[in-house]
């Protein structure tokens, strides 16, 4: 969603909105809820954040604090494939 590149699903990271409305990163791809996919790159997350694409796809408003937490979590995981 950030770079608009097509990649195999295992190379992507799922952002999920749970049934309770919580938005988190899903590194395993098995959390319940509405999902959106982006590259496992902080730059991609930042581009998607700036454009508001994640919120539109997940059909919710995402607070800046949640984006900050997702960026920190993604940086902590590095570019691990799984």
């Amino acid at each position: 969603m950030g770079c608009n590149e097509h990649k195999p699903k295992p190379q992507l990271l799922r952002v999920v909105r749970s049934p309770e409305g919580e938005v988190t990163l899903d590194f395993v791809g098995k959390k319940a809820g509405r999902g959106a996919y982006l590259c496992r790159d902080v730059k991609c997350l930042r581009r998607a954040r700036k454009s508001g694409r994640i919120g539109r796809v997940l059909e919710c408003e995402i607070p800046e604090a949640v984006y900050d937490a997702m960026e920190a979590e993604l940086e902590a995981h590095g570019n691990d494939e799984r």
Side-chain angles (χ1 to χ4, degrees):
M1 290 193 318
C3 63
N4 291 324
E5 292 181 20
H6 294 277
K7 295 184 179 183
K9 194 172 178 179
Q11 292 180 6
L12 299 174
L13 176 63
R14 186 167 182 250
V15 180
V16 66
R17 177 182 47 96
S18 71
E20 295 79 29
E22 182 183 9
V23 177
T24 58
L25 296 177
D26 182 6
F27 288 93
V28 182
K30 298 199 185 274
K31 288 185 180 178
R34 184 172 184 87
Y37 291 87
L38 60 110
C39 296
R40 292 174 177 257
D41 185 353
V42 175
K43 288 183 265 180
C44 248
L45 176 60
R46 289 179 183 147
R47 279 186 235 137
R49 176 183 188 171
K50 185 176 180 180
S51 69
R53 292 178 93 181
I54 298 173
R56 281 194 303 275
V57 170
L58 297 180
E59 300 173 349
C60 68
E61 288 283 328
I62 302 174
E64 294 300 313
V66 172
Y67 277 117
D68 293 340
M70 287 192 301
E71 277 190 35
E73 188 177 3
L74 187 54
E75 287 174 344
H77 274 82
N79 289 328
D80 295 342
E81 290 301 314
R82 283 222 166 160

